[in-house]
Amino acid sequence: MENLRYRVFYEAKYEYEDVVTSNDNTLRITPYNGENQKVITEKVYSEPKGYSFSFKDIFGNTVYRIKVIEPHYSLTLASESEVEINIQEMENCQLPCKIYDPVFLNSSRLIDVDYFKESAKEIIKSAKNLDELVRQIVSFVKDRVKYKEGLTTVNTSAKESFELGYGVCQDLAQITIGLLRASGIPARYVMGVVNDNPKTTHAWVEFKTHSGWIPVDPTRNRFYKIGYIKFAIGRDYYDTPPVTGSFVSSGRGWLKKLNIKVEKE
Protein backbone atom coordinates (compact mmCIF):
# COMPACT_ATOMS: atom_id res chain seq x y z
CA MET A 1 0.00 0.00 0.00
CA GLU A 2 1.47 3.34 -1.12
CA ASN A 3 1.37 6.38 1.21
CA LEU A 4 1.24 9.99 0.00
CA ARG A 5 1.45 13.12 2.13
CA TYR A 6 0.25 16.57 1.09
CA ARG A 7 -0.16 20.11 2.34
CA VAL A 8 -3.43 21.58 1.11
CA PHE A 9 -4.34 25.29 0.96
CA TYR A 10 -7.85 26.61 0.23
CA GLU A 11 -8.78 30.29 0.06
CA ALA A 12 -12.05 31.80 -1.20
CA LYS A 13 -12.47 35.59 -1.39
CA TYR A 14 -15.92 37.15 -1.60
CA GLU A 15 -16.87 40.77 -2.32
CA TYR A 16 -20.11 42.67 -1.69
CA GLU A 17 -21.81 45.73 -3.21
CA ASP A 18 -22.78 47.15 0.18
CA VAL A 19 -21.77 46.64 3.79
CA VAL A 20 -22.46 43.19 5.24
CA THR A 21 -23.54 43.20 8.88
CA SER A 22 -23.75 39.42 9.36
CA ASN A 23 -22.22 36.54 7.40
CA ASP A 24 -22.90 32.91 8.38
CA ASN A 25 -21.18 30.07 6.49
CA THR A 26 -20.95 26.29 6.69
CA LEU A 27 -17.66 24.90 5.34
CA ARG A 28 -16.32 21.55 4.17
CA ILE A 29 -12.87 22.75 3.13
CA THR A 30 -10.53 20.45 5.04
CA PRO A 31 -9.61 16.85 4.18
CA TYR A 32 -11.88 13.99 5.23
CA ASN A 33 -10.38 12.19 8.23
CA GLY A 34 -10.97 8.46 8.06
CA GLU A 35 -10.61 5.26 6.04
CA ASN A 36 -7.69 5.80 3.64
CA GLN A 37 -7.03 9.43 4.73
CA LYS A 38 -5.46 10.68 7.94
CA VAL A 39 -5.47 14.39 8.76
CA ILE A 40 -2.22 15.43 10.45
CA THR A 41 -3.05 19.12 11.03
CA GLU A 42 -5.84 21.46 10.00
CA LYS A 43 -6.70 25.12 10.49
CA VAL A 44 -9.75 27.03 9.27
CA TYR A 45 -10.07 30.80 9.54
CA SER A 46 -11.82 33.86 8.16
CA GLU A 47 -10.99 37.51 7.58
CA PRO A 48 -12.66 39.35 9.25
CA LYS A 49 -12.51 36.91 12.14
CA GLY A 50 -15.71 35.32 13.33
CA TYR A 51 -17.19 32.93 15.86
CA SER A 52 -16.50 29.35 14.81
CA PHE A 53 -16.99 25.73 15.82
CA SER A 54 -16.71 22.36 14.07
CA PHE A 55 -18.56 19.05 14.11
CA LYS A 56 -18.85 15.77 12.22
CA ASP A 57 -21.89 15.22 10.02
CA ILE A 58 -23.62 11.85 9.51
CA PHE A 59 -21.06 10.82 6.87
CA GLY A 60 -18.04 11.64 9.03
CA ASN A 61 -17.20 14.84 7.15
CA THR A 62 -15.57 17.62 9.17
CA VAL A 63 -17.86 20.65 9.01
CA TYR A 64 -16.94 24.17 10.20
CA ARG A 65 -19.43 26.91 10.97
CA ILE A 66 -18.15 30.50 10.97
CA LYS A 67 -20.29 33.55 11.72
CA VAL A 68 -18.87 37.04 11.15
CA ILE A 69 -20.73 39.99 12.70
CA GLU A 70 -18.09 42.67 12.15
CA PRO A 71 -19.28 44.95 9.31
CA HIS A 72 -17.37 44.18 6.10
CA TYR A 73 -17.29 44.61 2.31
CA SER A 74 -15.20 41.49 1.65
CA LEU A 75 -14.77 38.09 3.28
CA THR A 76 -12.02 35.48 3.08
CA LEU A 77 -12.65 31.85 4.06
CA ALA A 78 -9.53 29.71 4.20
CA SER A 79 -7.99 26.47 5.39
CA GLU A 80 -4.53 24.94 5.69
CA SER A 81 -4.15 21.19 6.19
CA GLU A 82 -1.70 18.32 6.15
CA VAL A 83 -3.04 14.92 5.14
CA GLU A 84 -1.69 11.43 4.53
CA ILE A 85 -3.36 9.25 1.91
CA ASN A 86 -3.06 5.48 1.73
CA ILE A 87 -3.50 4.29 -1.86
CA GLN A 88 -5.56 1.11 -1.75
CA GLU A 89 -5.56 -1.78 -4.21
CA MET A 90 -8.79 -2.38 -6.08
CA GLU A 91 -9.93 -5.91 -5.17
CA ASN A 92 -11.73 -7.25 -8.22
CA CYS A 93 -14.62 -9.73 -7.96
CA GLN A 94 -16.79 -11.77 -10.28
CA LEU A 95 -20.27 -10.37 -10.81
CA PRO A 96 -22.51 -10.29 -8.88
CA CYS A 97 -20.13 -9.16 -6.14
CA LYS A 98 -22.78 -9.08 -3.38
CA ILE A 99 -21.52 -5.94 -1.65
CA TYR A 100 -24.18 -4.40 0.53
CA ASP A 101 -24.52 -0.81 1.71
CA PRO A 102 -28.11 0.48 1.58
CA VAL A 103 -27.20 4.14 2.11
CA PHE A 104 -25.15 4.19 -1.09
CA LEU A 105 -27.29 1.76 -3.10
CA ASN A 106 -30.57 3.66 -2.91
CA SER A 107 -31.78 6.78 -4.69
CA SER A 108 -30.96 10.23 -3.29
CA ARG A 109 -32.28 13.71 -4.00
CA LEU A 110 -30.23 14.18 -7.19
CA ILE A 111 -29.85 10.53 -8.26
CA ASP A 112 -32.86 8.40 -9.25
CA VAL A 113 -31.52 4.84 -9.34
CA ASP A 114 -34.64 3.42 -11.01
CA TYR A 115 -34.15 5.75 -13.98
CA PHE A 116 -30.74 4.18 -14.73
CA LYS A 117 -31.74 0.50 -14.35
CA GLU A 118 -32.43 -0.14 -18.06
CA SER A 119 -29.09 1.31 -19.12
CA ALA A 120 -27.30 -0.59 -16.34
CA LYS A 121 -28.96 -3.83 -17.41
CA GLU A 122 -27.51 -3.47 -20.91
CA ILE A 123 -24.02 -2.53 -19.71
CA ILE A 124 -23.76 -5.36 -17.21
CA LYS A 125 -24.46 -7.98 -19.91
CA SER A 126 -20.94 -7.61 -21.28
CA ALA A 127 -19.13 -7.29 -17.93
CA LYS A 128 -17.78 -10.38 -16.20
CA ASN A 129 -16.22 -8.68 -13.18
CA LEU A 130 -16.30 -5.44 -11.21
CA ASP A 131 -13.33 -3.87 -13.00
CA GLU A 132 -14.94 -4.44 -16.40
CA LEU A 133 -18.26 -3.05 -15.14
CA VAL A 134 -16.71 0.15 -13.77
CA ARG A 135 -14.70 0.80 -16.93
CA GLN A 136 -17.67 0.12 -19.19
CA ILE A 137 -19.91 2.43 -17.16
CA VAL A 138 -17.37 5.26 -17.35
CA SER A 139 -16.96 4.70 -21.09
CA PHE A 140 -20.75 4.76 -21.53
CA VAL A 141 -21.05 8.00 -19.54
CA LYS A 142 -18.29 9.74 -21.48
CA ASP A 143 -19.87 8.70 -24.79
CA ARG A 144 -23.30 10.00 -23.79
CA VAL A 145 -22.41 13.14 -21.78
CA LYS A 146 -19.93 15.78 -22.95
CA TYR A 147 -18.16 18.14 -20.58
CA LYS A 148 -19.50 21.68 -20.97
CA GLU A 149 -19.79 24.46 -18.42
CA GLY A 150 -22.77 26.75 -18.00
CA LEU A 151 -25.59 24.37 -18.93
CA THR A 152 -26.16 22.74 -15.53
CA THR A 153 -26.20 23.94 -11.92
CA VAL A 154 -25.62 22.34 -8.53
CA ASN A 155 -29.37 21.61 -8.48
CA THR A 156 -29.38 19.66 -11.76
CA SER A 157 -30.26 16.00 -11.22
CA ALA A 158 -28.37 13.09 -12.78
CA LYS A 159 -31.42 12.31 -14.92
CA GLU A 160 -31.60 15.88 -16.23
CA SER A 161 -27.92 16.14 -17.15
CA PHE A 162 -27.97 12.65 -18.72
CA GLU A 163 -30.91 13.60 -20.94
CA LEU A 164 -29.31 16.95 -21.75
CA GLY A 165 -26.10 15.19 -22.79
CA TYR A 166 -23.88 17.86 -21.23
CA GLY A 167 -22.52 18.63 -17.80
CA VAL A 168 -19.52 19.21 -15.56
CA CYS A 169 -17.69 16.99 -13.08
CA GLN A 170 -20.62 16.96 -10.65
CA ASP A 171 -22.98 15.70 -13.37
CA LEU A 172 -20.62 13.05 -14.73
CA ALA A 173 -20.01 11.78 -11.19
CA GLN A 174 -23.71 11.59 -10.33
CA ILE A 175 -24.62 9.77 -13.56
CA THR A 176 -21.81 7.27 -12.93
CA ILE A 177 -23.09 6.76 -9.38
CA GLY A 178 -26.62 6.19 -10.67
CA LEU A 179 -25.42 3.48 -13.07
CA LEU A 180 -23.24 1.79 -10.44
CA ARG A 181 -26.06 1.71 -7.89
CA ALA A 182 -28.46 0.43 -10.54
CA SER A 183 -25.93 -2.37 -11.17
CA GLY A 184 -25.93 -3.34 -7.48
CA ILE A 185 -22.62 -1.66 -6.60
CA PRO A 186 -22.64 0.85 -3.68
CA ALA A 187 -21.28 4.19 -4.89
CA ARG A 188 -20.89 7.60 -3.29
CA TYR A 189 -20.18 11.18 -4.33
CA VAL A 190 -16.82 12.73 -3.39
CA MET A 191 -15.91 16.42 -3.29
CA GLY A 192 -12.31 17.45 -2.91
CA VAL A 193 -9.25 18.53 -4.88
CA VAL A 194 -7.01 16.82 -7.40
CA ASN A 195 -3.35 16.40 -6.52
CA ASP A 196 -1.96 17.92 -9.73
CA ASN A 197 -2.36 21.70 -9.99
CA PRO A 198 -5.99 22.12 -8.86
CA LYS A 199 -7.88 25.22 -9.99
CA THR A 200 -11.10 24.60 -8.07
CA THR A 201 -12.78 21.80 -6.14
CA HIS A 202 -13.56 18.63 -8.07
CA ALA A 203 -16.15 15.85 -7.94
CA TRP A 204 -15.51 12.16 -8.47
CA VAL A 205 -16.85 8.75 -7.38
CA GLU A 206 -15.95 6.07 -4.86
CA PHE A 207 -17.43 2.59 -5.24
CA LYS A 208 -17.40 -0.10 -2.58
CA THR A 209 -15.35 -3.29 -2.96
CA HIS A 210 -14.49 -6.09 -0.56
CA SER A 211 -11.25 -4.18 0.21
CA GLY A 212 -12.93 -0.81 0.86
CA TRP A 213 -13.89 2.31 -1.09
CA ILE A 214 -12.04 2.82 -4.38
CA PRO A 215 -11.98 6.08 -6.40
CA VAL A 216 -12.77 6.56 -10.07
CA ASP A 217 -12.89 9.90 -11.90
CA PRO A 218 -15.22 9.79 -14.93
CA THR A 219 -14.45 13.41 -15.88
CA ARG A 220 -10.70 12.84 -16.24
CA ASN A 221 -11.03 9.13 -17.11
CA ARG A 222 -8.82 8.01 -14.21
CA PHE A 223 -9.16 4.81 -12.26
CA TYR A 224 -8.33 3.55 -8.76
CA LYS A 225 -4.82 4.73 -7.73
CA ILE A 226 -5.43 8.43 -8.30
CA GLY A 227 -4.32 10.01 -5.00
CA TYR A 228 -6.84 12.88 -4.88
CA ILE A 229 -7.60 14.59 -1.56
CA LYS A 230 -11.24 14.17 -0.55
CA PHE A 231 -12.91 16.87 1.53
CA ALA A 232 -16.36 15.31 1.87
CA ILE A 233 -18.39 12.25 0.90
CA GLY A 234 -22.13 11.79 0.54
CA ARG A 235 -25.04 10.45 -1.46
CA ASP A 236 -24.82 13.30 -4.00
CA TYR A 237 -23.74 16.95 -4.22
CA TYR A 238 -26.28 18.10 -1.64
CA ASP A 239 -24.34 16.27 1.12
CA THR A 240 -20.97 17.78 0.21
CA PRO A 241 -20.96 21.48 -0.82
CA PRO A 242 -17.65 23.16 0.14
CA VAL A 243 -19.31 26.45 1.17
CA THR A 244 -22.94 27.30 1.89
CA GLY A 245 -24.22 30.30 3.77
CA SER A 246 -26.12 33.55 3.95
CA PHE A 247 -25.36 37.21 4.62
CA VAL A 248 -27.26 40.34 5.62
CA SER A 249 -26.74 43.29 3.29
CA SER A 250 -28.69 45.58 0.95
CA GLY A 251 -26.37 44.64 -1.93
CA ARG A 252 -25.31 41.54 -3.81
CA GLY A 253 -22.27 39.37 -3.13
CA TRP A 254 -20.09 37.15 -5.33
CA LEU A 255 -17.03 34.91 -5.28
CA LYS A 256 -14.16 37.15 -6.37
CA LYS A 257 -11.29 34.68 -6.32
CA LEU A 258 -10.57 31.05 -5.41
CA ASN A 259 -7.03 29.87 -4.68
CA ILE A 260 -6.27 26.18 -4.11
CA LYS A 261 -2.80 24.71 -3.80
CA VAL A 262 -1.57 21.16 -3.13
CA GLU A 263 2.07 20.48 -2.23
CA LYS A 264 3.52 16.99 -1.98
CA GLU A 265 5.67 16.45 1.11
Side-chain angles (χ1 to χ4, degrees), residues 195-210:
N195 55 357
D196 52 343
N197 193 29
K199 303 298 184 184
T200 186
T201 55
H202 188 52
W204 64 96
V205 178
E206 285 184 336
F207 61 95
K208 195 171 187 179
T209 72
H210 293 298

PDB file of all heavy atoms in Angstrom, residues 195-210:
ATOM      1  N   ASN A 195      -4.692  16.228  -7.079  1.00  0.00           N
ATOM      2  CA  ASN A 195      -3.347  16.396  -6.522  1.00  0.00           C
ATOM      3  C   ASN A 195      -2.352  16.944  -7.542  1.00  0.00           C
ATOM      4  O   ASN A 195      -1.154  16.965  -7.294  1.00  0.00           O
ATOM      5  CB  ASN A 195      -2.832  15.072  -5.950  1.00  0.00           C
ATOM      6  CG  ASN A 195      -2.866  13.946  -6.985  1.00  0.00           C
ATOM      7  OD1 ASN A 195      -3.330  14.135  -8.107  1.00  0.00           O
ATOM      8  ND2 ASN A 195      -2.382  12.783  -6.598  1.00  0.00           N
ATOM      9  N   ASP A 196      -2.843  17.377  -8.706  1.00  0.00           N
ATOM     10  CA  ASP A 196      -1.955  17.924  -9.726  1.00  0.00           C
ATOM     11  C   ASP A 196      -2.502  19.264 -10.216  1.00  0.00           C
ATOM     12  O   ASP A 196      -3.366  19.328 -11.073  1.00  0.00           O
ATOM     13  CB  ASP A 196      -1.774  16.942 -10.886  1.00  0.00           C
ATOM     14  CG  ASP A 196      -3.099  16.448 -11.460  1.00  0.00           C
ATOM     15  OD1 ASP A 196      -4.137  16.604 -10.782  1.00  0.00           O
ATOM     16  OD2 ASP A 196      -3.100  15.909 -12.577  1.00  0.00           O
ATOM     17  N   ASN A 197      -2.035  20.327  -9.602  1.00  0.00           N
ATOM     18  CA  ASN A 197      -2.357  21.701  -9.993  1.00  0.00           C
ATOM     19  C   ASN A 197      -3.853  21.984 -10.013  1.00  0.00           C
ATOM     20  O   ASN A 197      -4.423  22.349 -11.053  1.00  0.00           O
ATOM     21  CB  ASN A 197      -1.747  22.001 -11.376  1.00  0.00           C
ATOM     22  CG  ASN A 197      -1.758  23.483 -11.698  1.00  0.00           C
ATOM     23  OD1 ASN A 197      -1.695  24.325 -10.805  1.00  0.00           O
ATOM     24  ND2 ASN A 197      -1.852  23.807 -12.975  1.00  0.00           N
ATOM     25  N   PRO A 198      -4.538  21.865  -8.881  1.00  0.00           N
ATOM     26  CA  PRO A 198      -5.987  22.124  -8.860  1.00  0.00           C
ATOM     27  C   PRO A 198      -6.311  23.598  -9.066  1.00  0.00           C
ATOM     28  O   PRO A 198      -5.600  24.475  -8.577  1.00  0.00           O
ATOM     29  CB  PRO A 198      -6.394  21.665  -7.459  1.00  0.00           C
ATOM     30  CG  PRO A 198      -5.153  21.848  -6.630  1.00  0.00           C
ATOM     31  CD  PRO A 198      -4.011  21.522  -7.552  1.00  0.00           C
ATOM     32  N   LYS A 199      -7.399  23.864  -9.781  1.00  0.00           N
ATOM     33  CA  LYS A 199      -7.879  25.223  -9.992  1.00  0.00           C
ATOM     34  C   LYS A 199      -9.112  25.515  -9.138  1.00  0.00           C
ATOM     35  O   LYS A 199      -9.375  26.664  -8.782  1.00  0.00           O
ATOM     36  CB  LYS A 199      -8.216  25.445 -11.469  1.00  0.00           C
ATOM     37  CG  LYS A 199      -7.068  25.187 -12.421  1.00  0.00           C
ATOM     38  CD  LYS A 199      -5.905  26.129 -12.171  1.00  0.00           C
ATOM     39  CE  LYS A 199      -4.801  25.913 -13.201  1.00  0.00           C
ATOM     40  NZ  LYS A 199      -3.615  26.747 -12.921  1.00  0.00           N
ATOM     41  N   THR A 200      -9.885  24.478  -8.865  1.00  0.00           N
ATOM     42  CA  THR A 200     -11.099  24.595  -8.072  1.00  0.00           C
ATOM     43  C   THR A 200     -11.355  23.240  -7.430  1.00  0.00           C
ATOM     44  O   THR A 200     -10.562  22.308  -7.601  1.00  0.00           O
ATOM     45  CB  THR A 200     -12.280  25.034  -8.956  1.00  0.00           C
ATOM     46  OG1 THR A 200     -13.415  25.266  -8.140  1.00  0.00           O
ATOM     47  CG2 THR A 200     -12.604  23.996 -10.018  1.00  0.00           C
ATOM     48  N   THR A 201     -12.437  23.118  -6.677  1.00  0.00           N
ATOM     49  CA  THR A 201     -12.778  21.805  -6.142  1.00  0.00           C
ATOM     50  C   THR A 201     -13.254  20.908  -7.286  1.00  0.00           C
ATOM     51  O   THR A 201     -13.656  21.378  -8.351  1.00  0.00           O
ATOM     52  CB  THR A 201     -13.862  21.907  -5.064  1.00  0.00           C
ATOM     53  OG1 THR A 201     -15.006  22.589  -5.591  1.00  0.00           O
ATOM     54  CG2 THR A 201     -13.330  22.643  -3.835  1.00  0.00           C
ATOM     55  N   HIS A 202     -13.240  19.611  -7.036  1.00  0.00           N
ATOM     56  CA  HIS A 202     -13.557  18.630  -8.069  1.00  0.00           C
ATOM     57  C   HIS A 202     -14.517  17.602  -7.489  1.00  0.00           C
ATOM     58  O   HIS A 202     -14.619  17.449  -6.259  1.00  0.00           O
ATOM     59  CB  HIS A 202     -12.266  17.958  -8.537  1.00  0.00           C
ATOM     60  CG  HIS A 202     -12.413  17.062  -9.729  1.00  0.00           C
ATOM     61  ND1 HIS A 202     -13.018  17.473 -10.896  1.00  0.00           N
ATOM     62  CD2 HIS A 202     -12.041  15.768  -9.933  1.00  0.00           C
ATOM     63  CE1 HIS A 202     -12.995  16.474 -11.769  1.00  0.00           C
ATOM     64  NE2 HIS A 202     -12.422  15.432 -11.202  1.00  0.00           N
ATOM     65  N   ALA A 203     -15.237  16.912  -8.364  1.00  0.00           N
ATOM     66  CA  ALA A 203     -16.146  15.851  -7.938  1.00  0.00           C
ATOM     67  C   ALA A 203     -15.777  14.549  -8.646  1.00  0.00           C
ATOM     68  O   ALA A 203     -15.503  14.553  -9.854  1.00  0.00           O
ATOM     69  CB  ALA A 203     -17.586  16.217  -8.259  1.00  0.00           C
ATOM     70  N   TRP A 204     -15.754  13.473  -7.888  1.00  0.00           N
ATOM     71  CA  TRP A 204     -15.515  12.156  -8.469  1.00  0.00           C
ATOM     72  C   TRP A 204     -16.334  11.117  -7.703  1.00  0.00           C
ATOM     73  O   TRP A 204     -17.245  11.462  -6.964  1.00  0.00           O
ATOM     74  CB  TRP A 204     -14.027  11.821  -8.517  1.00  0.00           C
ATOM     75  CG  TRP A 204     -13.307  11.694  -7.208  1.00  0.00           C
ATOM     76  CD1 TRP A 204     -13.043  10.536  -6.515  1.00  0.00           C
ATOM     77  CD2 TRP A 204     -12.704  12.752  -6.442  1.00  0.00           C
ATOM     78  NE1 TRP A 204     -12.325  10.805  -5.372  1.00  0.00           N
ATOM     79  CE2 TRP A 204     -12.098  12.154  -5.308  1.00  0.00           C
ATOM     80  CE3 TRP A 204     -12.616  14.137  -6.605  1.00  0.00           C
ATOM     81  CZ2 TRP A 204     -11.432  12.896  -4.337  1.00  0.00           C
ATOM     82  CZ3 TRP A 204     -11.946  14.870  -5.633  1.00  0.00           C
ATOM     83  CH2 TRP A 204     -11.373  14.258  -4.524  1.00  0.00           C
ATOM     84  N   VAL A 205     -16.033   9.841  -7.898  1.00  0.00           N
ATOM     85  CA  VAL A 205     -16.851   8.747  -7.376  1.00  0.00           C
ATOM     86  C   VAL A 205     -15.975   7.788  -6.573  1.00  0.00           C
ATOM     87  O   VAL A 205     -14.810   7.583  -6.915  1.00  0.00           O
ATOM     88  CB  VAL A 205     -17.506   7.968  -8.543  1.00  0.00           C
ATOM     89  CG1 VAL A 205     -18.333   6.796  -8.028  1.00  0.00           C
ATOM     90  CG2 VAL A 205     -18.350   8.891  -9.398  1.00  0.00           C
ATOM     91  N   GLU A 206     -16.541   7.231  -5.509  1.00  0.00           N
ATOM     92  CA  GLU A 206     -15.952   6.067  -4.858  1.00  0.00           C
ATOM     93  C   GLU A 206     -16.985   4.946  -4.876  1.00  0.00           C
ATOM     94  O   GLU A 206     -18.156   5.174  -4.562  1.00  0.00           O
ATOM     95  CB  GLU A 206     -15.547   6.375  -3.418  1.00  0.00           C
ATOM     96  CG  GLU A 206     -14.290   7.216  -3.309  1.00  0.00           C
ATOM     97  CD  GLU A 206     -13.840   7.433  -1.865  1.00  0.00           C
ATOM     98  OE1 GLU A 206     -14.680   7.339  -0.955  1.00  0.00           O
ATOM     99  OE2 GLU A 206     -12.644   7.703  -1.663  1.00  0.00           O
ATOM    100  N   PHE A 207     -16.544   3.743  -5.256  1.00  0.00           N
ATOM    101  CA  PHE A 207     -17.429   2.592  -5.241  1.00  0.00           C
ATOM    102  C   PHE A 207     -16.890   1.572  -4.234  1.00  0.00           C
ATOM    103  O   PHE A 207     -15.684   1.494  -3.981  1.00  0.00           O
ATOM    104  CB  PHE A 207     -17.584   1.969  -6.633  1.00  0.00           C
ATOM    105  CG  PHE A 207     -16.302   1.458  -7.240  1.00  0.00           C
ATOM    106  CD1 PHE A 207     -15.939   0.123  -7.124  1.00  0.00           C
ATOM    107  CD2 PHE A 207     -15.455   2.319  -7.928  1.00  0.00           C
ATOM    108  CE1 PHE A 207     -14.761  -0.352  -7.684  1.00  0.00           C
ATOM    109  CE2 PHE A 207     -14.268   1.863  -8.492  1.00  0.00           C
ATOM    110  CZ  PHE A 207     -13.919   0.521  -8.362  1.00  0.00           C
ATOM    111  N   LYS A 208     -17.788   0.797  -3.667  1.00  0.00           N
ATOM    112  CA  LYS A 208     -17.401  -0.105  -2.583  1.00  0.00           C
ATOM    113  C   LYS A 208     -16.983  -1.466  -3.117  1.00  0.00           C
ATOM    114  O   LYS A 208     -17.674  -2.067  -3.953  1.00  0.00           O
ATOM    115  CB  LYS A 208     -18.545  -0.261  -1.585  1.00  0.00           C
ATOM    116  CG  LYS A 208     -18.123  -0.871  -0.257  1.00  0.00           C
ATOM    117  CD  LYS A 208     -19.255  -0.793   0.758  1.00  0.00           C
ATOM    118  CE  LYS A 208     -18.776  -1.239   2.139  1.00  0.00           C
ATOM    119  NZ  LYS A 208     -19.867  -1.145   3.143  1.00  0.00           N
ATOM    120  N   THR A 209     -15.843  -1.959  -2.626  1.00  0.00           N
ATOM    121  CA  THR A 209     -15.351  -3.286  -2.955  1.00  0.00           C
ATOM    122  C   THR A 209     -15.154  -4.050  -1.650  1.00  0.00           C
ATOM    123  O   THR A 209     -15.337  -3.508  -0.549  1.00  0.00           O
ATOM    124  CB  THR A 209     -14.007  -3.213  -3.698  1.00  0.00           C
ATOM    125  OG1 THR A 209     -12.975  -2.816  -2.759  1.00  0.00           O
ATOM    126  CG2 THR A 209     -14.055  -2.200  -4.831  1.00  0.00           C
ATOM    127  N   HIS A 210     -14.752  -5.300  -1.760  1.00  0.00           N
ATOM    128  CA  HIS A 210     -14.490  -6.087  -0.557  1.00  0.00           C
ATOM    129  C   HIS A 210     -13.276  -5.560   0.204  1.00  0.00           C
ATOM    130  O   HIS A 210     -13.104  -5.885   1.385  1.00  0.00           O
ATOM    131  CB  HIS A 210     -14.295  -7.559  -0.924  1.00  0.00           C
ATOM    132  CG  HIS A 210     -15.548  -8.212  -1.439  1.00  0.00           C
ATOM    133  ND1 HIS A 210     -16.687  -8.334  -0.676  1.00  0.00           N
ATOM    134  CD2 HIS A 210     -15.831  -8.765  -2.643  1.00  0.00           C
ATOM    135  CE1 HIS A 210     -17.628  -8.944  -1.380  1.00  0.00           C
ATOM    136  NE2 HIS A 210     -17.141  -9.215  -2.587  1.00  0.00           N
TER     137      HIS A 210
END
